[in-house]
Structure formats: structure tokens, C-alpha cells
């Protein structure tokens, strides 16, 4: 086999590095930013963009895992509950024993990984549809989180995690660390999903799990891995969530986050049917949602109005994708 | 013995009935032993049925939508309850419409919200999860913005609280506990209507057909898109009725009624799945949804008495999650061993 032939095969198998949806999203974000820059002069300043990037980070980071899960044809609606468990656990550890940054982050990531493992085992080996299992574990995780909370809130969280926060400690050369880490992980996931056999296996499972199994993909192990990765990222994102907040953590933490993450993923062009998707799109989707939320507040509108735009964006983004799919079929 | 096990595993209704008996007997024993903070008796069980009204109705809405197949699901029911509730608040509470036109307008508005879902899913081809996620956000946002985040609790709305009062049944009412009025005015009519629709009309048979195999249904000449579209419209209609019930229960039209906390959609889907509705479509019965509601309601009511303070509501989450995961794993097991559940 010559190198030329291999290169040809690679060319045929791989989709383009950046899909149409991502170009469209970059365009839409540019339009939104331009509109905001014109209407509110304060928008295009570091003081406005930096918090925007920090707020995007947790959604985009969990979105990376969610993208992989959805590519395999699954879904995880328990991430909101998992964020609650990880953040309250980490916050309590920070308050109680004054552990350092590394230990706290490790604790949170491991806890998240464990929760992901529970989901993964039940879905991969219980052979039940992911949405049902994760609806169930969402309740279980929330129970766990509330039990750790005890009654009321966690108060007096020290600034150990300021490295991930929105303050001056959380930035290098003006770029927030949380966003930088998200960017690096997204890039790594993009490369892994596109250029390694293991990454392509996720797409194969989402396309046709039975065919993938016959082609030698270890479907159950790969599926398990997707949920564990999501769990690990939930753990890291929980550290961002704590760092972004005040020194108090209340019981509403993580609530509704699962839908926000899924919204970012589908706006990013990942097909909910599985087999197609990109983490780059998810990052852009999360950025778009957060830009709109921030814009609505800065324009002085009701902050809840941004949800209306999220709904419209989902319809437009997925509708455009449907139209393109129809065009592909007719060609 | 093995035959009994087989019936329990394959007949979801039998399993649910057994679980209800186990739950009720367990709490009766605990009650007799004095472990509960208040008596768990027939009066208490009957009074707790008030929380079954919205739960069972939305469970039936999900039943219709999930039955229609192709990944059918409706995440927006809670947001529809919020938004239609505001419509009810305006028409009945602010503009002084009579009760019946206001209820009809609210239900009609719910149906309109459902029609948007149905149009996106059935005619445009959106995956149901996506379409209803989008409308969930849109309706939720509109419900809050429409009255500037303020609830509507004018005098006529406050007087509606009588809906959740308990009444004595006629004839033999003295011998059985009083039953919440909402059961008769809203829940039973909905249950009967949905049962008639599914089991006694052409539409119902078509819905099962397209949910089981929509390609085959299309080749058999069924109006697949129209049938699926109507499932979402009916789900919206039921959500509109739930909005009226919810406004009555709170004695106020709250803009976040259906989406606060966990929202209403997740419990409704949980009830439907627990009731034996297959998430892939085409399988599911009204009786399963009703029994699943009773199980959850009476379990929750008991848990509230078994714990002090807000621990009870936390353990309700544990119970709901555990029961759902257990039911789902059981479904997987029976699928492999017996080739599936029959309902």
C-alpha cells in the first residue's frame, strides 16, 4: 500500500475540517457582536467581553462531552444534576478543609467522572435508551446534591478557585483562564474526533451501532467512555461555576444547565440523530447563546427575553441543517 | 410461579398494581407502628390525589406524543402550562371573561402552542427533542415577559381555589373519603377522552400504526403527517387544561408555574415511561399512565410523612429516579428474555 493511496482514502473518509454550519455561526456571531457594538458602546470593551467568555466556558466545556455523547446517538440530561453534585462537594471541601486549587479541581473532576461512569454503565450495559436512564439519574444526582447541601446554602467559599474566575487572578494577557482551558480541550477533542481511529468510532456508533459492532468497534466500551468523558468535563466545569459565583453556593446551581448545553450543541450543528457533529460548532453555539444573553441585559431588556432568542436560534440553526440535508439528498 | 413472574415482567399494568399495593401496605404498617409524622390513611391518600391531576394529565399528553413515534417527545409542556396560564390569568382574571369562555380560550391557546410543535416536527421534519426544546425556551420566555414577571392574582382567580377543595361524593359519599374536586372536573374527563381517542377511534389506531412503523403506515395510505401533527395539538390542548388547574391550585397565574424547579415536563415524561410507554413509539396505554401516577403520588405522599422538614422532598427525588431507572432496566431485561412488554 503506497502513501498516496492512503492519503486518498483519508481524503474521502474525512468531512471538511470546518463545516458550513460553523461558517454560518461565525457570521451570525459577527452580526450579533456588530449590532451590539453599535447600539451599546460598552459592549466592545474588555470589561464586557471577558465576563462573556468566562460565562461561556462551563457550557462549552460540558458541551464538548455532550457533543461526543450525541454523536454516538445518545443524550445526557443529567448534567445539570451532576454539576450540582460536583460543585457542592467541591465547595464543601474548600470551606471545610481549605484544600488547594489542584486538589479541589481533581476532587471535582473525579466526582464528575464517577457520576458519568454510573450513566455510562447503565446505558451501555443495561441497553436502555439514554434519555430514560439520564432522566432517572438526573433525579438521583439532584437527591445526592441536595443531601450534601444539607439545609440551605454553602457559605464563605474561599477564593482558592479564583484562577478560573472572572477577577484579575483569572486572566493571562487579558484572556480568562476558564475560556483558554475550554479552547484547548475543544481543540484536543476536535483533533481526537477527526484524526484518530478511536474518535471515528464514536461517529460509526452513531451512524449504525450494529454495523459498527460488526466492523470491530467495541460499541459498549466506547459508549461508556463518552459518558465518562462528559462526567469528567462536568467536574471541571463545576470548578468554573464555583469560581464565577460569589462566596455563596445555593441549591439552584446547575438547574436547567442540561438544556442550555443541549441547545449549544444543536445550534452548533450536531445532529441529534447521531453520527454527525463537531465540537467546534458547540463552542460557537455556546458563545452565540451567551453573547445574546449578555446583549439582552446590556440593552436593558428583560434578561428572560434571551431565552426567546435561544429558541429561535435552535429552530433556525437546525432548520438550516435540515434544508442542507435535503439538498444533499436531492443532488 | 414462573408464569406469575412472567406476567409481572411482561404486563406493566400488573407490575404497577403490585407496586402500588406494596407501597400502600408499607406505609400502612409504618403508620400503625407510629413511625410517620401524621396518619397515612384513606383520607390522606384521597387528599393527596390533588397532585395527581396535573401529573396524570401531562403524562397522558406525553403518552400521545411519544406514541406517535420517530423519537416523539414534548419538552415544552411545562412552558405551555406557564404561558397558557398567563392567558387564563388575562382573560379570566383581568379582562373579566366568564369562566367557560376563558377555559376554552386557554385550552385553545394550548392547542395552538402544540400546533407549532406539531408543525415543526411533522411537516418540517425537526427531531421532536429539538423542536420542543426550542419552543420550551420560547414559551417560557414569553410567559415571563408578557406580564413583566408579575403573577396575576385578582379576585376571580383567587376564588378559583375551590377547584382543589375536597368534596363528598353523592349517594355513598359518607362511606368513602372526600375526593378533590379537580379529579372530577378535569382529570377523569381527560382520562376518558384520551382512552376513547386511543382505543375507540380510527385516529387512535392510526396513531399506534404510525408510531410502530411510519413507513409501513404511509404505504398503507395513512395520513402520517396529519396524524402526528394532531398528537402534538392534543398534547398542547391538555397542557392548556392543566394551566387552568394549576392557576386554581396556586390561586394565582404564575409566569413560572410550569417551569420552576425541575419543571413539569420531566416528571410527566417519567410518568409516561414508568407507565410502560415505549420511547420508540407505538406502545403504551392510558391505564399504565394512570397507575404510574397513582404509584408516584402515593409514594411521594408517604415519603413526605416519613421524613421531617424538607428531607422528604429530597427523598422524593431519590424515589422517582430509582423507580424510573429500575423500570427502564426491567424493560431492557424483558425485551431480551420475553421479546418485550405488551403494554
Amino acid at each position: 500500500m503506497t502513501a498516496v493511496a492512503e492519503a486518498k482514502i483519508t481524503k474521502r473518509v474525512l468531512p471538511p475540517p470546518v463545516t458550513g454550519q460553523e461558517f454560518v455561526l461565525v457570521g451570525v456571531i459577527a452580526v450579533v457582536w456588530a449590532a451590539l457594538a453599535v447600539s451599546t458602546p460598552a459592549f466592545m470593551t474588555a470589561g464586557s467581553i471577558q465576563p462573556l467568555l468566562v460565562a461561556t466556558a462551563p457550557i462549552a466545556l460540558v458541551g464538548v462531552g455532550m457533543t461526543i455523547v450525541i454523536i454516538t446517538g445518545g443524550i445526557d440530561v443529567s448534567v445539570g444534576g451532576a454539576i450540582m453534585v460536583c460543585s457542592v462537594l467541591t465547595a464543601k471541601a474548600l470551606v471545610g478543609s481549605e484544600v488547594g486549587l489542584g486538589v479541589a479541581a481533581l476532587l471535582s473532576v473525579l466526582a464528575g467522572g464517577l457520576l458519568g461512569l454510573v450513566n455510562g454503565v447503565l446505558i451501555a450495559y443495561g441497553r436502555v435508551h439514554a434519555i430514560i436512564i439520564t432522566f432517572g439519574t438526573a433525579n438521583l444526582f439532584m437527591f445526592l446534591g441536595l443531601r450534601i447541601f444539607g439545609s440551605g446554602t454553602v457559605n464563605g467559599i474561599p477564593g482558592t478557585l479564583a484562577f478560573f474566575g472572572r477577577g484579575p487572578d483569572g486572566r493571562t494577557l487579558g484572556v480568562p483562564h476558564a475560556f483558554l482551558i475550554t479552547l484547548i480541550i475543544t481543540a484536543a477533542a476536535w483533533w481526537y474526533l477527526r484524526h484518530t481511529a478511536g474518535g471515528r468510532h464514536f461517529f460509526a456508533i452513531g451512524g449504525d451501532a450494529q454495523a459498527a459492532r460488526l466492523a470491530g468497534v467495541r460499541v459498549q466500551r466506547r459508549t461508556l467512555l463518552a459518558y465518562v468523558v462528559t462526567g469528567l468535563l462536568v467536574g471541571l466545569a463545576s470548578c468554573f461555576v464555583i469560581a464565577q459565583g460569589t462566596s455563596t453556593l445555593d441549591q439552584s446551581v446547575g438547574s436547567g444547565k442540561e438544556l442550555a448545553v443541549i441547545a449549544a450543541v444543536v445550534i452548533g450543528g450536531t445532529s441529534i440523530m447521531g453520527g454527525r457533529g463537531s465540537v467546534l460548532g458547540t463552542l460557537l453555539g455556546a458563545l452565540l447563546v451567551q453573547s445574546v444573553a449578555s446583549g439582552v441585559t446590556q440593552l436593558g431588556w428583560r434578561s428572560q427575553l434571551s431565552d426567546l432568542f435561544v429558541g429561535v436560534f435552535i429552530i433556525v440553526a437546525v432548520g438550516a441543517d435540515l434544508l442542507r440535508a435535503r439538498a444533499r439528498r436531492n443532488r | 410461579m414462573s408464569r406469575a413472574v412472567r406476567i409481572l415482567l411482561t404486563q406493566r399494568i400488573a407490575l404497577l398494581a403490585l407496586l402500588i399495593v406494596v407501597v400502600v401496605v408499607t406505609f400502612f404498617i409504618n403508620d400503625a407502628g407510629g413511625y410517620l409524622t401524621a396518619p397515612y390513611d384513606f383520607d390522606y391518600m384521597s387528599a393527596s390525589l390533588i397532585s395527581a391531576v396535573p401529573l396524570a394529565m401531562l403524562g397522558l399528553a406525553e403518552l400521545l406524543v411519544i406514541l406517535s413515534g420517530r423519537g416523539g417527545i414534548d419538552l415544552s409542556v411545562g412552558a405551555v402550562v406557564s404561558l397558557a396560564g398567563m392567558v387564563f390569568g388575562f382573560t379570566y382574571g383581568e379582562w373579566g371573561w366568564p369562566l367557560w369562555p376563558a377555559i376554552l380560550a386557554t385550552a385553545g391557546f394550548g392547542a395552538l402552542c402544540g400546533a407549532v410543535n406539531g408543525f415543526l416536527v411533522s411537516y418540517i421534519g425537526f427531531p421532536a427533542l429539538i423542536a420542543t426544546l426550542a419552543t420550551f425556551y420560547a414559551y417560557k420566555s414569553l410567559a415571563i415577559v408578557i406580564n413583566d414577571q408579575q403573577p396575576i392574582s385578582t379576585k376571580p382567580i383567587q376564588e378559583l381555589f375551590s377547584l382543589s377543595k375536597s368534596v363528598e361524593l353523592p349517594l355513598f359519599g359518607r362511606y368513602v373519603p372526600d375526593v378533590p374536586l379537580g379529579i372530577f372536573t378535569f382529570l377523569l374527563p381527560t382520562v376518558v377522552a384520551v382512552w376513547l381517542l386511543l382505543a375507540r377511534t380510527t385516529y387512535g389506531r392510526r396513531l399506534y400504526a404510525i408510531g410502530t412503523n411510519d413507513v409501513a403506515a404511509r404505504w398503507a395510505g395513512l395520513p402520517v403527517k396529519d396524524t402526528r401533527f394532531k398528537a402534538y395539538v392534543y398534547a398542547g390542548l391538555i397542557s392548556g387544561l392543566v394551566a387552568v388547574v394549576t392557576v386554581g391550585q396556586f390561586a394565582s397565574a404564575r409566569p413560572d408555574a410550569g417551569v420552576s424547579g425541575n419543571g413539569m415536563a420531566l416528571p410527566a415524561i417519567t410518568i409516561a415511561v414508568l407507565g410502560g410507554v415505549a420511547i420508540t413509539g407505538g406502545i403504551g396505554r392510558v391505564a399504565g399512565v394512570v397507575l404510574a401516577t397513582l404509584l408516584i403520588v402515593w409514594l411521594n405522599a408517604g415519603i413526605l410523612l416519613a421524613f421531617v422538614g424538607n428531607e422528604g422532598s429530597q427523598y422524593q427525588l431519590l424515589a422517582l429516579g430509582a423507580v424510573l431507572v429500575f423500570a427502564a432496566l426491567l424493560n431492557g431485561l424483558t425485551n431480551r428474555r420475553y421479546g418485550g412488554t405488551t403494554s
Side-chain angles (χ1 to χ4, degrees):
Chain A
M1 197 48 88
T2 62
V4 177
E6 270 180 23
K8 261 187 187 158
I9 289 169
T10 324
K11 215 175 185 179
R12 187 163 50 88
V13 168
L14 283 180
V18 180
T19 61
Q21 184 85 7
E22 285 145 15
F23 285 122
V24 174
L25 276 174
V26 170
V28 174
I29 293 175
V31 169
V32 169
W33 281 29
L36 285 172
V38 171
S39 53
T40 51
F43 180 76
M44 269 298 168
T45 56
S48 160
I49 299 288
Q50 279 162 351
L52 171 65
L53 295 182
V54 174
T56 306
I59 300 292
L61 193 59
V62 178
V64 169
M66 185 73 84
T67 308
I68 301 175
V69 163
I70 291 181
I71 284 174
T72 66
I75 195 159
D76 187 347
V77 292
S78 72
V79 291
I83 288 176
M84 183 199 237
V85 174
C86 293
S87 48
V88 66
L89 197 67
T90 312
K92 284 239 162 170
L94 285 171
V95 172
S97 53
E98 308 202 338
V99 294
L101 172 73
V103 179
L106 193 66
L107 173 73
S108 186
V109 168
L110 284 181
L114 199 63
L115 299 178
L117 188 69
V118 172
N119 277 332
V121 167
L122 287 172
I123 291 162
Y125 296 98
R127 293 192 230 176
V128 190
H129 196 286
I131 195 167
I132 299 177
I133 286 292
T134 52
F135 266 133
T137 52
N139 282 302
L140 296 178
F141 294 167
M142 268 183 288
F143 163 73
L144 204 59
L146 289 173
R147 292 304 295 168
I148 302 172
F149 260 111
S151 57
T153 55
V154 182
N155 297 315
I157 302 169
T160 320
L161 293 176
F163 182 75
F164 300 130
R166 52 174 90 236
D169 293 343
R171 296 195 287 266
T172 304
L173 297 175
V175 183
H177 295 144
F179 188 72
L180 208 58
I181 294 169
T182 306
L183 212 57
I184 293 168
I185 291 180
T186 307
W190 179 84
W191 179 83
Y192 180 75
L193 285 173
R194 197 175 131 86
H195 291 286
T196 69
R200 304 309 300 167
H201 287 172
F202 290 120
F203 289 90
I205 295 169
D208 187 336
Q210 194 63 23
R213 196 182 66 81
L214 293 174
V217 177
R218 291 179 170 136
V219 174
Q220 289 178 320
R221 277 197 212 176
R222 283 275 133 194
T223 310
L224 178 65
L225 183 66
Y227 291 91
V228 173
V229 167
T230 306
L232 294 172
L233 293 176
V234 162
L236 188 54
S238 301
C239 292
F240 296 178
V241 169
I242 298 173
Q244 283 175 27
T246 55
S247 60
T248 304
L249 194 70
D250 71 45
Q251 300 192 342
S252 71
V253 60
S255 152
K257 284 282 185 289
E258 61 280 352
L259 295 182
V261 171
I262 295 171
V265 172
V266 298
I267 289 175
T270 296
S271 163
I272 202 85
M273 310 305 223
R276 210 156 47 80
S278 121
V279 287
L280 211 55
T282 301
L283 179 65
L284 293 171
L287 192 60
L288 175 59
V289 169
Q290 206 56 53
S291 302
V292 171
S294 145
V296 165
T297 329
Q298 292 196 5
L299 286 172
W301 298 346
R302 279 226 163 272
S303 62
Q304 289 90 351
L305 204 60
S306 68
D307 282 345
L308 182 62
F309 289 105
V310 173
V312 172
F313 279 134
I314 296 175
I315 294 293
V316 172
V318 179
D321 197 45
L322 284 174
L323 287 180
R324 274 205 303 276
R326 207 163 285 174
R328 270 200 300 275
R329 270 204 305 276
N330 292 341
R331 201 160 2 153
Chain B
M1 186 61 204
S2 74
R3 189 158 167 240
V5 170
R6 190 190 167 123
I7 286 175
L8 278 182
L9 286 182
T10 55
Q11 304 279 335
R12 176 51 61 89
I13 290 176
L15 179 68
L16 286 170
L18 178 75
L19 285 178
I20 289 176
V21 171
V22 169
V23 164
V24 171
V25 167
T26 308
F27 283 117
F28 271 32
I29 292 171
N30 272 313
D31 188 25
Y35 296 114
L36 301 182
T37 53
Y40 188 90
D41 50 19
F42 289 117
D43 280 330
Y44 180 67
M45 284 169 67
S46 175
S48 68
L49 281 179
I50 188 65
S51 55
V53 177
L55 201 55
M57 286 172 73
L58 290 180
L60 291 172
E62 295 290 349
L63 166 71
L64 290 169
V65 167
I66 297 175
L67 272 184
S68 77
R70 275 255 314 263
I73 198 161
D74 192 344
L75 296 178
S76 73
V77 286
V80 175
V81 169
S82 297
L83 189 53
M86 293 311 286
V87 169
F88 185 67
F90 276 117
T91 51
Y92 187 65
E94 298 254 333
W95 303 338
W97 290 23
L99 184 60
W100 281 108
I103 290 180
L104 283 181
T106 308
F109 184 82
L112 188 69
C113 293
V116 173
N117 288 334
F119 177 74
L120 290 172
V121 172
S122 188
Y123 288 105
I124 310 280
F126 277 89
L129 193 73
I130 307 280
T132 58
L133 177 67
T135 53
F136 162 79
Y137 275 115
Y139 298 156
K140 178 176 110 170
S141 166
L142 285 175
I144 292 177
V145 174
I146 198 168
N147 197 34
D148 220 17
Q149 229 170 345
Q150 296 304 312
I152 300 175
S153 50
T154 52
K155 197 154 181 292
I157 297 275
Q158 286 175 2
E159 282 161 1
L160 267 186
F161 189 63
S162 61
L163 267 182
S164 46
K165 266 205 318 232
S166 291
V167 290
E168 193 180 285
L169 300 181
L171 299 177
F172 54 92
R174 266 177 295 147
Y175 309 105
V176 294
D178 295 353
V179 177
L181 188 61
I183 298 278
F184 299 104
T185 46
F186 284 93
L187 181 56
L188 279 182
T190 311
V191 168
V192 171
V194 173
W195 179 78
L196 283 175
L197 183 71
L198 286 180
R200 290 288 180 274
T201 65
T202 320
Y203 175 80
R205 302 324 293 169
R206 283 179 178 167
L207 192 61
Y208 280 102
I210 68 163
T212 310
N213 187 338
D214 63 350
V215 177
R218 196 171 72 233
W219 289 114
L222 297 187
V224 173
K225 287 185 176 175
D226 190 52
T227 309
R228 186 170 284 139
F229 170 74
K230 280 181 185 152
Y232 287 86
V233 176
Y234 290 135
L237 181 76
I238 296 175
S239 307
L241 291 174
V242 172
V244 177
V245 176
T246 313
V247 170
Q249 263 179 19
F250 292 142
S252 154
R254 281 173 31 189
D256 63 344
V259 295
S260 62
N262 262 339
M264 285 183 168
L266 264 66
I269 296 167
T270 307
I271 288 290
V273 170
L274 189 58
V277 183
I279 202 83
T280 44
I283 301 173
R285 282 166 59 184
V286 173
V289 174
V290 172
L291 286 181
T293 312
L294 290 180
L295 174 65
I296 291 299
V297 164
W298 283 337
L299 182 61
N300 278 348
I303 289 172
L304 268 191
L305 297 187
F307 295 94
V308 183
N310 63 359
E311 278 188 16
S313 62
Q314 296 175 2
Y315 277 95
Q316 287 178 347
L317 289 173
L318 173 70
L320 190 64
V323 170
L324 182 62
V325 169
F326 165 74
L329 290 178
L330 201 64
N331 273 2
L333 181 77
T334 48
N335 273 334
R336 269 167 280 159
R337 179 161 292 185
Y338 301 111
T341 46
T342 47
S343 82

